[in-house]
Amino acid sequence: AKFYEKRHQKKLKACEALSKDEDTYDDEIADIKAKTILEKSTGHESLQYKQLFDFFDVDKDRTWGTVEFAQRMTDIGCDTSVEASANLLYFAGVRDVDRITYNDFIQMMPKLKAFRRLVEKEALKYFDEKDTEGAGYLSPEAIREVINEIAGTDSLSDHQVRHLIRKADRER
């Protein structure tokens, strides 16, 4: 708490010295950080980031938040409450869960990529554990067990698990 308070006081002094309000100051810092991230991204990644940001920006006001995030997640088949959206965005490090700018969104991308790599690694580990005969495929029940191990049994409904299996089934 002391660290946060000290950092916040330092930010307030910087805002006062620059004659800027906190939101403007935070937006400028976010812009600098986002540019650094985008410079390290490929053109294809940058395009994907823009398209994904625009997908979540339902009302096209160049910001989005918990309500729009919950709506879009539900639209794609992952029933998500506004409260759950707020928690997800908060733990992703968003500074204001109800006002996510493009630059804020870009700052989440390295974290999202790292998280994806961790989930993929974990999925492969569980796959190897379930594929005891080395056949290279799993039964639907084994896949369900892997998904529940990764997501937790409270995270996905049976319908959502079936949907994931259908979507990922290359043999269909």
Side-chain angles (χ1 to χ4, degrees):
K2 288 181 183 180
F3 175 76
Y4 171 79
E5 186 59 35
K6 190 175 183 179
R7 195 169 78 195
H8 186 69
Q9 290 301 321
K10 185 178 176 181
K11 181 171 77 168
L12 290 177
K13 286 180 185 177
C15 290
E16 187 177 322
L18 297 169
S19 301
K20 296 180 179 178
D21 63 39
E22 277 189 79
D23 282 340
T24 303
Y25 180 80
D26 286 342
D27 286 346
E28 289 176 1
I29 297 299
D31 183 51
I32 292 166
K33 290 178 179 179
K35 283 180 181 172
T36 302
I37 293 166
L38 287 171
E39 286 171 0
K40 297 176 184 175
S41 302
T42 66
H44 181 70
E45 286 174 328
S46 296
L47 179 63
Q48 286 181 319
Y49 297 158
K50 181 70 175 131
Q51 289 172 340
L52 189 57
F53 179 84
D54 289 344
F55 172 76
F56 286 112
D57 186 15
V58 176
D59 61 9
K60 305 301 178 207
D61 67 350
R62 298 190 349 231
T63 66
W64 52 268
T66 55
V67 173
E68 289 168 294
F69 184 72
Q71 178 183 344
R72 286 302 196 184
M73 293 301 289
T74 301
D75 289 348
I76 63 171
C78 297
D79 291 337
T80 307
S81 69
V82 173
E83 182 180 336
S85 295
N87 286 336
L88 287 167
L89 294 169
Y90 172 79
F91 286 110
V94 175
R95 62 187 163 117
D96 182 348
V97 298
D98 289 319
R99 184 185 163 269
I100 299 170
T101 65
Y102 181 68
N103 291 331
D104 295 326
F105 177 75
I106 292 300
Q107 289 180 69
M108 284 193 300
M109 292 300 100
K111 297 172 193 171
L112 183 62
K113 287 170 75 173
F115 180 71
R116 180 180 179 163
R117 282 192 293 272
L118 285 173
V119 170
E120 288 172 350
K121 187 176 179 180
E122 195 172 352
L124 289 172
K125 180 186 106 184
Y126 285 121
F127 183 93
D128 286 342
E129 288 175 7
K130 296 292 181 185
D131 184 22
T132 56
E133 296 177 17
Y137 64 89
L138 299 178
S139 69
E141 185 53 41
I143 292 173
R144 186 177 323 307
E145 290 174 18
V146 168
I147 291 170
N148 285 332
E149 282 289 331
I150 294 169
T153 55
D154 296 337
S155 301
L156 298 172
S157 69
D158 283 340
H159 172 73
Q160 289 170 317
V161 171
R162 282 192 306 274
H163 176 73
L164 284 172
I165 292 170
R166 272 194 311 272
K167 191 171 184 180
D169 186 3
R170 294 183 180 171
E171 298 296 317
R172 285 183 19 167

